[in-house]
Amino acid sequence: MLGQAAKPSGSGCKLIGYQYSEIIRAVFSVFCCGGDCMEDLNLYLKDVLAERPHTRIPSADTVLVALRNWQRRTYHTRQKRRATSMISTRLRN
């Protein structure tokens, strides 16, 4: 999943200013380090993760907004596919 999000073309979240790979890396870091919620990113991990050169660390709020946008976009894409499939099925019959 991280590999898919790290694709260079069109993988940026334009409203937020972070790549989806950066968002997923933040989520992965929180939960792999034993965090219970995204706020642990701000409280405990941001300073440690910032030590890695050339790494941008989004805030917990930014991560949650990006994931919500990603979820909406995925939902709308599925709905479009479903509608297109239904229309093409009706046209065939």
Side-chain angles (χ1 to χ4, degrees):
M1 187 156 113
L2 183 58
Q4 180 184 10
K7 290 181 182 176
S9 61
S11 65
C13 186
K14 292 178 179 70
L15 294 174
I16 297 170
Y18 288 94
Q19 296 288 327
Y20 279 114
S21 60
E22 294 168 328
I23 300 295
I24 292 173
R25 186 180 300 120
V27 172
F28 187 74
S29 297
V30 167
F31 291 106
C32 284
C33 293
D36 294 326
C37 62
M38 284 310 301
E39 194 58 38
D40 290 345
L41 180 66
N42 292 344
L43 296 175
Y44 307 114
L45 295 174
K46 198 161 191 161
D47 295 333
V48 175
L49 295 174
E51 291 178 6
R52 183 174 175 213
H54 311 294
T55 302
R56 297 184 323 148
I57 311 299
S59 70
D61 294 333
T62 302
V63 170
L64 294 174
V65 168
L67 291 175
R68 192 175 311 120
N69 288 342
W70 199 1
Q71 180 183 15
R72 283 185 191 143
R73 192 168 78 180
T74 302
Y75 174 78
H76 290 300
T77 302
R78 286 182 188 158
Q79 293 300 322
K80 281 183 182 178
R81 286 183 190 153
R82 189 173 295 148
T84 303
S85 175
M86 289 173 59
I87 290 170
S88 63
T89 303
R90 287 181 185 168
L91 291 176
R92 283 186 214 144
N93 293 332

